[in-house]
Amino acid sequence: MAQKVVGSSPTARPMEAPVNKVEAAGLVTIDLEKLLPVPPIMALDIAQFLEEGLLLREKTFRALLKTHDWSAYAGKFVAIFVSTDAIVPPWAYLLVGMYLAPHAVYYGVGTAEEVRDLYRLTLLERLDLEAFRDKRLLLRGCASISERVMTEFFRRVMPIAQLVFYGEACSSVPVYKRRVGEKV
C-alpha cells in the first residue's frame, strides 16, 4: 500500500515567481565593506630604522628617516608598526608620520587591521546617516568588518533607525526595534 504524503498533490501547480523576502519586508541591506571602503594597506616597520632592530638612537634614527625613499608610499594607505620588542618613544612615530604625510593618502600606527579600522571610523564620522532614518536595516553579517567598526555604526544609526537586524537575508537576528511612540 502506497503512503500518502501530506501536502502533496498529484496535479501540477503553476510555478510562482520567487519572492525577495528582504524587499518584501522593506529591509535596507547595509554592507559596511562597500559603504566604508579601504584599499590595501602597506606596512612600514620602524625596526628597519633602529640599531639592530631594537635600539633607537635619535641622531641615527633621524638620519635614516631623512635618506629613506618615501616615494614608495605615494598614494598608499600605511600602517606604521614595530616588529621587534623595541621600546619606541611616541615622538618617533610622529617623525615617521612627518615623512609619510607628503606621500601617503592615509597613515596610522598599528597593524594593517587596526589602521583599516581607524580609517573606517574616520569615514563613518563623515557619513550622512539621514538616508537610514526610520528605515528597517539589515546589517550584513558575513563581512570582514571588525566588531569595533560595526558597533560604532550601530551606535550612530540606532537612534534614527526603526529596526536593525544583523546577518543575512536568509538568517538574520533582530538587534534593535524602536518602541512605538519613542522619540527620534
Side-chain angles (χ1 to χ4, degrees), residues 6 22 37 53 60 73 85 88 90 112 127 150 161 166 174 178:
V6 177
V22 174
T60 308
Y73 305 98
D85 290 332
V88 178
L127 191 63
M150 198 171 301
Y166 171 81
R178 187 181 331 135

Side-chain angles (χ1 to χ4, degrees), residues 120-137:
R120 281 190 168 132
L121 291 171
T122 301
L123 291 176
L124 190 52
E125 284 298 317
R126 296 186 221 149
L127 191 63
D128 181 12
L129 299 174
E130 275 305 306
F132 305 126
R133 182 169 296 283
D134 299 323
K135 300 288 192 229
R136 301 163 54 91
L137 306 178

Side-chain angles (χ1 to χ4, degrees), residues 77-140:
F77 284 63
V78 182
I80 306 166
F81 74 103
V82 62
S83 62
T84 64
D85 290 332
I87 297 172
V88 178
W91 59 262
Y93 293 98
L94 301 179
L95 279 177
V96 171
M98 181 187 73
Y99 283 101
L100 278 172
H103 305 281
V105 172
Y106 184 85
Y107 63 90
V109 175
T111 65
E113 293 78 23
E114 291 167 338
V115 171
R116 188 174 291 112
D117 278 358
L118 286 171
Y119 185 69
R120 281 190 168 132
L121 291 171
T122 301
L123 291 176
L124 190 52
E125 284 298 317
R126 296 186 221 149
L127 191 63
D128 181 12
L129 299 174
E130 275 305 306
F132 305 126
R133 182 169 296 283
D134 299 323
K135 300 288 192 229
R136 301 163 54 91
L137 306 178
L138 173 60
L139 188 53
R140 190 166 175 264

